[in-house]
Amino acid sequence: MAMHLASMVHGNVRERDAFQHAQHSPYYPAPPPRAYPGVNVNVAPQSYPAPAQQAEYHQYQRQRPQSPPSPPAEEQKPSLPSISHLLEFAGSEKAAAETVAQSPQSQQRQSSSPQPRQAQHRGAASMQQPPPPSQMQSSRPEQCSTYASVPSGSNPRMTLPPTPPMHPDVAHDGNQSPSAASNHSAASVPYFVGSSLNNMEPHHQRQSISSMPSVKRDSIPSHNVSPYSAASVYGQSPYASSPGAASATSYYSPEQHSYNAANMYAQRPLPSNFQPQAMPLPVPVPSPAANSSNPWQHHHYISTASQSQFPQSQDRYICSTCNKAFSRPSSLRIHSHSHTGEKPYKCPQAGCGKAFSVRSNMKRHERGCHAATSTTLTT
DNA sequence: TTCTCTGTTAGC
DNA sequence: GCTAACAGAGA
């Protein structure tokens, strides 16, 4: 159940991420629902359409996937349960869940009998799903849940090449709840998905970046409102109170993220790869000192298999914000300044006060603007 | 392998 | 012209 819950959270995080990246943001305002305003954690099965009506019900859901949450809360019952409820739920059903996970028969039973829950999750998914469910819902869930599976290096599926986003219907098979789907896809899909902006393989990232028509360097930050907006968004996210929020905040809290490039950029996939509490990851929260050997790569959640897919010495360091790849940690660190707005290099000239994010630029400025002054001073 | 410096490009 | 940002070369 912990995994279940974690996946659920994952799915939501990814979903949010997807929303953030969604082209059509009519759904972006959706997050509010995530505050679980009308979320009835105790959504009763009877509140869902009977099995015989599910098809129609789902049809209905699909036909109007784009319609934003409307006032009539009755129809929105199929929404995700709150974290708190999930926690409670996890506690009470943990044993049962474990049993289920271990027993295929139990899975069968679960997939066949708990229709209500299934419907519930489906309903929730449908309600929160942005228009293109095939991309939004199914793709995002995979990446981060895969991250969850990374630690288990024994998972053979991790070696599989990237697979296209699962079809929503497919994602619903088996244990079909979004969370279940996440679990399911987690194991079957590599940590990144092509549709994911933040979880692409470096070479893919480069491709995507290079393919970006005119990604002005200066334009990157604009798209990068993300580091902060993301931080704020996540900070406001209901998940901040979730068990995994600890790690999430550790990744995104602006405070930490200020200059801890190791935190911010090596963990780039964080939003989506948001690590649930149960993750047996070696080092969830990177300590530059602890990971001084290779802080960047480590936090990329790159499986050994994945690592072997691209050059070790080339652009290993990916900016978690804009996915830009760098071959050197220092480059990434400096680049991070462009996102954080940090300008650690201040002009030493008295009365100047100018600051730069790049040391060389500062020196250049010094030479250019204070050459006379400095020469005068030095001589 | 990484850092610093230099050169370059592009936006304002 | 100034600055941001990046890549390459050398240390």
Side-chain angles (χ1 to χ4, degrees):
Chain A
M1 190 55 200
M3 287 293 291
H4 190 81
L5 173 58
S7 298
M8 221 160 200
V9 174
H10 260 212
N12 286 325
V13 170
R14 285 189 298 268
E15 226 178 299
R16 176 175 57 245
D17 198 8
F19 273 122
Q20 287 183 326
H21 290 91
Q23 304 283 337
H24 313 288
S25 41
Y27 303 94
Y28 186 64
R34 269 196 204 97
Y36 306 108
V39 172
N40 183 356
V41 294
N42 292 319
V43 178
Q46 52 264 40
S47 68
Y48 294 95
Q53 297 175 339
Q54 280 188 354
E56 182 179 352
Y57 177 74
H58 293 153
Q59 177 90 11
Y60 168 75
Q61 292 289 350
R62 289 185 184 180
Q63 286 177 345
R64 50 189 298 277
Q66 300 184 359
S67 60
S70 53
E74 275 68 48
E75 292 185 353
Q76 298 180 9
K77 289 253 178 164
S79 56
L80 292 176
S82 69
I83 296 299
S84 59
H85 169 68
L86 289 175
L87 288 174
E88 295 177 5
F89 194 59
S92 62
E93 287 196 0
K94 184 177 182 179
E98 289 177 352
T99 303
V100 169
Q102 294 175 356
S103 169
Q105 294 178 349
S106 298
Q107 288 181 352
Q108 278 187 342
R109 253 180 284 132
Q110 191 178 36
S111 62
S112 58
S113 62
Q115 286 290 347
R117 278 197 66 188
Q118 180 174 347
Q120 167 185 351
H121 292 301
R122 282 199 196 180
S126 297
M127 294 305 290
Q128 294 190 351
Q129 255 180 24
S134 61
Q135 294 181 353
M136 288 304 182
Q137 186 217 355
S138 59
S139 63
R140 302 298 295 183
E142 287 139 18
Q143 20 183 350
C144 67
S145 31
T146 310
Y147 166 46
S149 64
V150 170
S152 64
S154 60
N155 188 345
R157 282 174 286 200
M158 284 304 298
T159 60
L160 291 175
T163 57
M166 293 176 63
H167 189 281
D169 291 351
V170 175
H172 285 310
D173 70 353
N175 288 332
Q176 38 340 88
S177 69
S179 56
S182 294
N183 273 341
H184 176 71
S185 58
S188 63
V189 180
Y191 76 98
F192 77 90
V193 172
S195 61
S196 160
L197 177 61
N198 273 341
N199 292 283
M200 299 170 67
E201 291 276 358
H203 57 277
H204 287 170
Q205 292 167 0
R206 292 182 68 81
Q207 287 178 355
S208 66
I209 290 172
S210 61
S211 64
M212 287 181 192
S214 59
V215 179
K216 264 178 38 174
R217 279 174 279 194
D218 289 346
S219 67
I220 292 176
S222 62
H223 143 52
N224 280 331
V225 188
S226 42
Y228 293 119
S229 66
S232 61
V233 167
Y234 287 90
Q236 298 169 357
S237 165
Y239 304 102
S241 61
S242 70
S247 60
T249 50
S250 68
Y251 286 128
Y252 290 102
S253 77
E255 298 81 37
Q256 283 198 6
H257 136 259
S258 64
Y259 185 65
N260 196 339
N263 277 347
M264 174 178 179
Y265 294 92
Q267 303 154 1
R268 170 194 130 255
L270 275 208
S272 48
N273 280 334
F274 160 68
Q275 176 184 357
Q277 72 276 24
M279 277 325 185
L281 258 196
V283 183
V285 179
S287 162
N291 300 287
S292 59
S293 61
N294 199 343
W296 316 96
Q297 178 178 347
H298 172 80
H299 295 292
H300 240 281
Y301 315 126
I302 300 175
S303 65
T304 53
S306 297
Q307 285 179 347
S308 63
Q309 294 180 358
F310 51 87
Q312 284 286 316
S313 60
Q314 190 172 1
D315 293 352
R316 282 177 298 170
Y317 310 97
I318 314 296
C319 175
S320 61
T321 302
C322 64
N323 281 329
K324 187 167 180 62
F326 298 88
S327 58
R328 298 172 300 206
S330 58
S331 296
L332 176 57
R333 187 170 58 248
I334 292 171
H335 165 80
S336 72
H337 296 158
S338 66
H339 295 313
T340 63
E342 187 179 9
K343 295 181 177 181
Y345 305 104
K346 293 179 172 58
C347 179
Q349 296 297 324
C352 179
K354 276 186 172 296
F356 301 84
S357 58
V358 180
R359 179 184 175 85
S360 62
N361 287 340
M362 183 272 287
K363 286 188 171 297
R364 182 178 304 151
H365 154 82
E366 199 176 357
R367 282 195 304 269
C369 298
H370 305 295
T373 309
S374 60
T375 51
T376 302
L377 291 176
T378 53
T379 55

Short mmCIF file of all heavy atoms in Angstrom, two decimals, chain A residues 38-84:
data_model
loop_
_atom_site.label_atom_id
_atom_site.label_comp_id
_atom_site.label_asym_id
_atom_site.label_seq_id
_atom_site.Cartn_x
_atom_site.Cartn_y
_atom_site.Cartn_z
N GLY A 38 -13.23 19.14 -2.59
CA GLY A 38 -14.41 18.31 -2.42
C GLY A 38 -14.06 16.85 -2.45
O GLY A 38 -14.90 16.00 -2.68
N VAL A 39 -12.85 16.60 -2.23
CA VAL A 39 -12.44 15.21 -2.31
C VAL A 39 -12.99 14.42 -1.15
O VAL A 39 -12.67 14.67 0.00
CB VAL A 39 -10.92 15.08 -2.30
CG1 VAL A 39 -10.53 13.64 -2.18
CG2 VAL A 39 -10.37 15.68 -3.58
N ASN A 40 -13.80 13.53 -1.49
CA ASN A 40 -14.33 12.70 -0.45
C ASN A 40 -13.48 11.46 -0.35
O ASN A 40 -13.56 10.56 -1.15
CB ASN A 40 -15.78 12.32 -0.81
CG ASN A 40 -16.38 11.51 0.30
OD1 ASN A 40 -15.72 11.17 1.26
ND2 ASN A 40 -17.65 11.22 0.15
N VAL A 41 -12.65 11.47 0.63
CA VAL A 41 -11.73 10.36 0.76
C VAL A 41 -12.46 9.05 0.96
O VAL A 41 -11.95 7.99 0.67
CB VAL A 41 -10.79 10.58 1.95
CG1 VAL A 41 -9.90 11.76 1.67
CG2 VAL A 41 -11.60 10.79 3.20
N ASN A 42 -13.64 9.15 1.45
CA ASN A 42 -14.39 7.95 1.68
C ASN A 42 -15.39 7.71 0.55
O ASN A 42 -16.52 7.33 0.76
CB ASN A 42 -15.14 8.04 3.00
CG ASN A 42 -14.14 8.03 4.15
OD1 ASN A 42 -13.17 7.29 4.11
ND2 ASN A 42 -14.38 8.88 5.13
N VAL A 43 -14.89 8.00 -0.59
CA VAL A 43 -15.78 7.84 -1.73
C VAL A 43 -16.38 6.45 -1.71
O VAL A 43 -15.69 5.45 -1.76
CB VAL A 43 -15.00 8.00 -3.04
CG1 VAL A 43 -15.94 7.78 -4.20
CG2 VAL A 43 -14.37 9.39 -3.09
N ALA A 44 -17.63 6.44 -1.59
CA ALA A 44 -18.31 5.16 -1.50
C ALA A 44 -18.46 4.55 -2.87
O ALA A 44 -18.74 5.23 -3.84
CB ALA A 44 -19.68 5.35 -0.86
N PRO A 45 -18.25 3.26 -2.91
CA PRO A 45 -18.38 2.55 -4.19
C PRO A 45 -19.73 2.82 -4.83
O PRO A 45 -19.82 2.91 -6.02
CB PRO A 45 -18.24 1.08 -3.79
CG PRO A 45 -17.48 1.11 -2.51
CD PRO A 45 -17.84 2.40 -1.83
N GLN A 46 -20.70 2.91 -4.01
CA GLN A 46 -22.03 3.07 -4.58
C GLN A 46 -22.18 4.40 -5.29
O GLN A 46 -23.10 4.61 -6.04
CB GLN A 46 -23.09 2.95 -3.49
CG GLN A 46 -22.79 3.88 -2.32
CD GLN A 46 -22.07 3.15 -1.23
OE1 GLN A 46 -21.19 2.34 -1.52
NE2 GLN A 46 -22.43 3.38 0.01
N SER A 47 -21.25 5.27 -5.04
CA SER A 47 -21.34 6.56 -5.70
C SER A 47 -20.88 6.45 -7.14
O SER A 47 -20.95 7.38 -7.90
CB SER A 47 -20.49 7.59 -4.96
OG SER A 47 -19.13 7.27 -5.11
N TYR A 48 -20.42 5.30 -7.49
CA TYR A 48 -19.94 5.12 -8.85
C TYR A 48 -20.91 4.29 -9.65
O TYR A 48 -21.70 3.54 -9.11
CB TYR A 48 -18.58 4.41 -8.82
CG TYR A 48 -17.59 5.31 -8.19
CD1 TYR A 48 -17.32 5.17 -6.84
CD2 TYR A 48 -16.98 6.32 -8.90
CE1 TYR A 48 -16.44 6.02 -6.23
CE2 TYR A 48 -16.10 7.16 -8.30
CZ TYR A 48 -15.83 7.01 -6.95
OH TYR A 48 -14.96 7.84 -6.35
N PRO A 49 -20.77 4.47 -10.91
CA PRO A 49 -21.68 3.74 -11.78
C PRO A 49 -21.51 2.25 -11.59
O PRO A 49 -20.44 1.77 -11.33
CB PRO A 49 -21.26 4.17 -13.18
CG PRO A 49 -19.95 4.83 -13.03
CD PRO A 49 -19.82 5.29 -11.62
N ALA A 50 -22.60 1.58 -11.74
CA ALA A 50 -22.55 0.15 -11.66
C ALA A 50 -21.72 -0.38 -12.81
O ALA A 50 -21.58 0.28 -13.83
CB ALA A 50 -23.97 -0.43 -11.73
N PRO A 51 -21.15 -1.55 -12.62
CA PRO A 51 -20.32 -2.14 -13.67
C PRO A 51 -20.98 -2.05 -15.02
O PRO A 51 -20.34 -1.77 -16.02
CB PRO A 51 -20.17 -3.59 -13.21
CG PRO A 51 -20.31 -3.51 -11.73
CD PRO A 51 -21.24 -2.38 -11.44
N ALA A 52 -22.23 -2.30 -15.04
CA ALA A 52 -22.92 -2.27 -16.32
C ALA A 52 -22.92 -0.88 -16.91
O ALA A 52 -22.99 -0.70 -18.11
CB ALA A 52 -24.36 -2.76 -16.13
N GLN A 53 -22.79 0.07 -16.06
CA GLN A 53 -22.83 1.44 -16.55
C GLN A 53 -21.45 2.04 -16.68
O GLN A 53 -21.29 3.16 -17.14
CB GLN A 53 -23.64 2.29 -15.56
CG GLN A 53 -25.07 1.83 -15.47
CD GLN A 53 -25.79 2.61 -14.39
OE1 GLN A 53 -25.16 3.18 -13.51
NE2 GLN A 53 -27.11 2.63 -14.48
N GLN A 54 -20.49 1.29 -16.29
CA GLN A 54 -19.14 1.85 -16.31
C GLN A 54 -18.72 2.25 -17.70
O GLN A 54 -18.12 3.29 -17.89
CB GLN A 54 -18.15 0.82 -15.77
CG GLN A 54 -18.18 0.79 -14.25
CD GLN A 54 -17.07 -0.08 -13.74
OE1 GLN A 54 -16.38 -0.73 -14.51
NE2 GLN A 54 -16.90 -0.08 -12.44
N ALA A 55 -19.01 1.41 -18.63
CA ALA A 55 -18.61 1.72 -20.00
C ALA A 55 -19.19 3.07 -20.39
O ALA A 55 -18.49 3.94 -20.90
CB ALA A 55 -19.11 0.64 -20.94
N GLU A 56 -20.43 3.18 -20.10
CA GLU A 56 -21.08 4.42 -20.46
C GLU A 56 -20.50 5.56 -19.64
O GLU A 56 -20.26 6.65 -20.13
CB GLU A 56 -22.58 4.29 -20.18
CG GLU A 56 -23.33 5.56 -20.57
CD GLU A 56 -24.81 5.40 -20.29
OE1 GLU A 56 -25.22 4.27 -19.96
OE2 GLU A 56 -25.53 6.38 -20.41
N TYR A 57 -20.27 5.22 -18.43
CA TYR A 57 -19.73 6.24 -17.53
C TYR A 57 -18.37 6.72 -18.04
O TYR A 57 -18.10 7.90 -18.14
CB TYR A 57 -19.59 5.63 -16.15
CG TYR A 57 -18.96 6.57 -15.15
CD1 TYR A 57 -19.72 7.64 -14.66
CD2 TYR A 57 -17.66 6.40 -14.73
CE1 TYR A 57 -19.16 8.50 -13.73
CE2 TYR A 57 -17.11 7.25 -13.82
CZ TYR A 57 -17.86 8.30 -13.30
OH TYR A 57 -17.31 9.14 -12.40
N HIS A 58 -17.55 5.76 -18.36
CA HIS A 58 -16.22 6.14 -18.84
C HIS A 58 -16.32 6.86 -20.16
O HIS A 58 -15.56 7.77 -20.45
CB HIS A 58 -15.36 4.88 -19.01
CG HIS A 58 -15.08 4.25 -17.70
ND1 HIS A 58 -14.83 2.92 -17.57
CD2 HIS A 58 -15.04 4.77 -16.45
CE1 HIS A 58 -14.62 2.64 -16.29
NE2 HIS A 58 -14.73 3.74 -15.61
N GLN A 59 -17.26 6.40 -20.93
CA GLN A 59 -17.47 7.08 -22.20
C GLN A 59 -17.79 8.53 -21.90
O GLN A 59 -17.26 9.45 -22.53
CB GLN A 59 -18.65 6.42 -22.91
CG GLN A 59 -19.00 7.11 -24.22
CD GLN A 59 -18.23 6.50 -25.35
OE1 GLN A 59 -17.60 5.45 -25.17
NE2 GLN A 59 -18.23 7.13 -26.50
N TYR A 60 -18.62 8.67 -20.96
CA TYR A 60 -19.00 10.02 -20.57
C TYR A 60 -17.77 10.80 -20.13
O TYR A 60 -17.54 11.92 -20.53
CB TYR A 60 -20.00 9.93 -19.42
CG TYR A 60 -20.24 11.26 -18.76
CD1 TYR A 60 -21.01 12.23 -19.37
CD2 TYR A 60 -19.69 11.50 -17.51
CE1 TYR A 60 -21.23 13.44 -18.75
CE2 TYR A 60 -19.92 12.71 -16.88
CZ TYR A 60 -20.69 13.68 -17.51
OH TYR A 60 -20.91 14.87 -16.89
N GLN A 61 -16.99 10.13 -19.36
CA GLN A 61 -15.79 10.82 -18.87
C GLN A 61 -14.89 11.20 -20.02
O GLN A 61 -14.22 12.22 -19.99
CB GLN A 61 -15.03 9.92 -17.90
CG GLN A 61 -15.79 9.69 -16.61
CD GLN A 61 -15.82 10.94 -15.77
OE1 GLN A 61 -15.13 11.90 -16.06
NE2 GLN A 61 -16.64 10.94 -14.73
N ARG A 62 -14.82 10.36 -20.97
CA ARG A 62 -13.91 10.63 -22.08
C ARG A 62 -14.48 11.70 -23.01
O ARG A 62 -13.75 12.44 -23.63
CB ARG A 62 -13.67 9.36 -22.88
CG ARG A 62 -12.82 8.37 -22.09
CD ARG A 62 -12.51 7.20 -22.95
NE ARG A 62 -11.78 6.19 -22.19
CZ ARG A 62 -11.39 5.05 -22.72
NH1 ARG A 62 -11.66 4.76 -23.96
NH2 ARG A 62 -10.74 4.19 -21.99
N GLN A 63 -15.75 11.66 -23.09
CA GLN A 63 -16.35 12.61 -24.01
C GLN A 63 -16.16 14.03 -23.49
O GLN A 63 -16.12 14.97 -24.25
CB GLN A 63 -17.84 12.31 -24.16
CG GLN A 63 -18.07 11.07 -25.02
CD GLN A 63 -19.53 10.76 -25.10
OE1 GLN A 63 -20.33 11.28 -24.32
NE2 GLN A 63 -19.91 9.92 -26.04
N ARG A 64 -16.05 14.10 -22.23
CA ARG A 64 -15.88 15.45 -21.71
C ARG A 64 -14.66 15.53 -20.80
O ARG A 64 -14.69 15.99 -19.67
CB ARG A 64 -17.11 15.87 -20.91
CG ARG A 64 -17.53 14.85 -19.88
CD ARG A 64 -18.86 15.25 -19.33
NE ARG A 64 -18.82 16.54 -18.66
CZ ARG A 64 -18.43 16.71 -17.43
NH1 ARG A 64 -17.99 15.69 -16.73
NH2 ARG A 64 -18.47 17.91 -16.88
N PRO A 65 -13.58 15.06 -21.33
CA PRO A 65 -12.38 15.09 -20.51
C PRO A 65 -11.87 16.52 -20.35
O PRO A 65 -11.14 16.81 -19.44
CB PRO A 65 -11.38 14.28 -21.31
CG PRO A 65 -11.84 14.42 -22.73
CD PRO A 65 -13.34 14.60 -22.68
N GLN A 66 -12.28 17.36 -21.23
CA GLN A 66 -11.71 18.70 -21.17
C GLN A 66 -12.55 19.64 -20.33
O GLN A 66 -12.14 20.75 -20.05
CB GLN A 66 -11.60 19.28 -22.57
CG GLN A 66 -10.71 18.42 -23.44
CD GLN A 66 -10.51 19.04 -24.79
OE1 GLN A 66 -11.07 20.09 -25.05
NE2 GLN A 66 -9.74 18.40 -25.63
N SER A 67 -13.70 19.16 -20.01
CA SER A 67 -14.52 20.07 -19.23
C SER A 67 -13.95 20.19 -17.83
O SER A 67 -13.73 19.21 -17.15
CB SER A 67 -15.94 19.53 -19.14
OG SER A 67 -15.94 18.28 -18.53
N PRO A 68 -13.66 21.39 -17.44
CA PRO A 68 -13.10 21.61 -16.11
C PRO A 68 -14.08 21.19 -15.05
O PRO A 68 -15.28 21.10 -15.32
CB PRO A 68 -12.85 23.12 -16.07
CG PRO A 68 -13.78 23.68 -17.10
CD PRO A 68 -13.95 22.62 -18.15
N PRO A 69 -13.54 20.96 -13.89
CA PRO A 69 -14.41 20.55 -12.79
C PRO A 69 -15.57 21.50 -12.65
O PRO A 69 -15.39 22.71 -12.54
CB PRO A 69 -13.49 20.64 -11.57
CG PRO A 69 -12.12 20.49 -12.11
CD PRO A 69 -12.15 21.04 -13.52
N SER A 70 -16.73 20.95 -12.70
CA SER A 70 -17.90 21.79 -12.60
C SER A 70 -18.49 21.68 -11.21
O SER A 70 -18.26 20.72 -10.50
CB SER A 70 -18.93 21.36 -13.64
OG SER A 70 -19.19 19.99 -13.51
N PRO A 71 -19.22 22.67 -10.85
CA PRO A 71 -19.81 22.76 -9.51
C PRO A 71 -20.46 21.49 -9.02
O PRO A 71 -20.16 21.06 -7.92
CB PRO A 71 -20.83 23.88 -9.66
CG PRO A 71 -20.28 24.72 -10.75
CD PRO A 71 -19.53 23.80 -11.68
N PRO A 72 -21.27 20.89 -9.81
CA PRO A 72 -21.94 19.68 -9.28
C PRO A 72 -20.91 18.70 -8.78
O PRO A 72 -20.33 17.97 -9.55
CB PRO A 72 -22.67 19.12 -10.49
CG PRO A 72 -22.66 20.16 -11.52
CD PRO A 72 -21.65 21.20 -11.16
N ALA A 73 -20.72 18.70 -7.52
CA ALA A 73 -19.68 17.86 -6.94
C ALA A 73 -20.04 16.39 -7.00
O ALA A 73 -19.18 15.54 -6.93
CB ALA A 73 -19.43 18.27 -5.50
N GLU A 74 -21.27 16.10 -7.12
CA GLU A 74 -21.67 14.69 -7.13
C GLU A 74 -20.95 13.94 -8.23
O GLU A 74 -20.45 12.86 -8.02
CB GLU A 74 -23.18 14.58 -7.37
CG GLU A 74 -23.95 14.71 -6.08
CD GLU A 74 -23.84 16.13 -5.53
OE1 GLU A 74 -24.04 17.06 -6.32
OE2 GLU A 74 -23.57 16.31 -4.36
N GLU A 75 -20.86 14.55 -9.37
CA GLU A 75 -20.23 13.85 -10.47
C GLU A 75 -18.73 13.80 -10.32
O GLU A 75 -18.05 13.08 -11.00
CB GLU A 75 -20.59 14.54 -11.78
CG GLU A 75 -22.06 14.38 -12.11
CD GLU A 75 -22.34 14.96 -13.46
OE1 GLU A 75 -21.44 15.57 -14.04
OE2 GLU A 75 -23.46 14.78 -13.94
N GLN A 76 -18.25 14.59 -9.45
CA GLN A 76 -16.80 14.63 -9.30
C GLN A 76 -16.33 13.74 -8.18
O GLN A 76 -15.18 13.74 -7.82
CB GLN A 76 -16.35 16.06 -9.04
CG GLN A 76 -16.71 16.93 -10.21
CD GLN A 76 -16.27 18.34 -9.95
OE1 GLN A 76 -15.57 18.60 -8.98
NE2 GLN A 76 -16.69 19.26 -10.78
N LYS A 77 -17.21 13.07 -7.64
CA LYS A 77 -16.81 12.19 -6.54
C LYS A 77 -15.59 11.37 -6.90
O LYS A 77 -14.71 11.20 -6.10
CB LYS A 77 -17.98 11.27 -6.19
CG LYS A 77 -19.08 12.05 -5.52
CD LYS A 77 -19.12 11.72 -4.06
CE LYS A 77 -20.19 12.52 -3.39
NZ LYS A 77 -20.54 11.99 -2.08
N PRO A 78 -15.58 10.87 -8.09
CA PRO A 78 -14.42 10.06 -8.45
C PRO A 78 -13.15 10.89 -8.47
O PRO A 78 -12.58 11.11 -9.50
CB PRO A 78 -14.74 9.56 -9.84
CG PRO A 78 -16.13 9.88 -10.09
CD PRO A 78 -16.54 10.96 -9.14
N SER A 79 -12.77 11.36 -7.39
CA SER A 79 -11.52 12.12 -7.36
C SER A 79 -10.55 11.41 -6.44
O SER A 79 -10.93 10.56 -5.65
CB SER A 79 -11.79 13.53 -6.86
OG SER A 79 -12.42 13.47 -5.61
N LEU A 80 -9.33 11.79 -6.56
CA LEU A 80 -8.31 11.13 -5.76
C LEU A 80 -8.53 11.41 -4.29
O LEU A 80 -8.84 12.52 -3.90
CB LEU A 80 -6.93 11.63 -6.17
CG LEU A 80 -6.52 11.18 -7.56
CD1 LEU A 80 -5.19 11.81 -7.91
CD2 LEU A 80 -6.44 9.68 -7.63
N PRO A 81 -8.31 10.42 -3.52
CA PRO A 81 -8.45 10.60 -2.07
C PRO A 81 -7.33 11.48 -1.56
O PRO A 81 -6.28 11.57 -2.16
CB PRO A 81 -8.30 9.18 -1.51
CG PRO A 81 -7.69 8.39 -2.60
CD PRO A 81 -8.01 9.06 -3.90
N SER A 82 -7.58 12.08 -0.46
CA SER A 82 -6.56 12.96 0.09
C SER A 82 -5.40 12.14 0.62
O SER A 82 -5.53 10.96 0.91
CB SER A 82 -7.14 13.79 1.22
OG SER A 82 -7.41 12.95 2.31
N ILE A 83 -4.31 12.80 0.74
CA ILE A 83 -3.12 12.12 1.24
C ILE A 83 -3.38 11.56 2.63
O ILE A 83 -3.00 10.45 2.96
CB ILE A 83 -1.94 13.10 1.29
CG1 ILE A 83 -1.62 13.55 -0.13
CG2 ILE A 83 -0.74 12.45 1.93
CD1 ILE A 83 -1.23 12.44 -1.03
N SER A 84 -4.00 12.38 3.42
CA SER A 84 -4.22 11.93 4.79
C SER A 84 -5.03 10.65 4.80
O SER A 84 -4.74 9.71 5.53
CB SER A 84 -4.95 13.01 5.57
OG SER A 84 -6.19 13.29 4.94
#
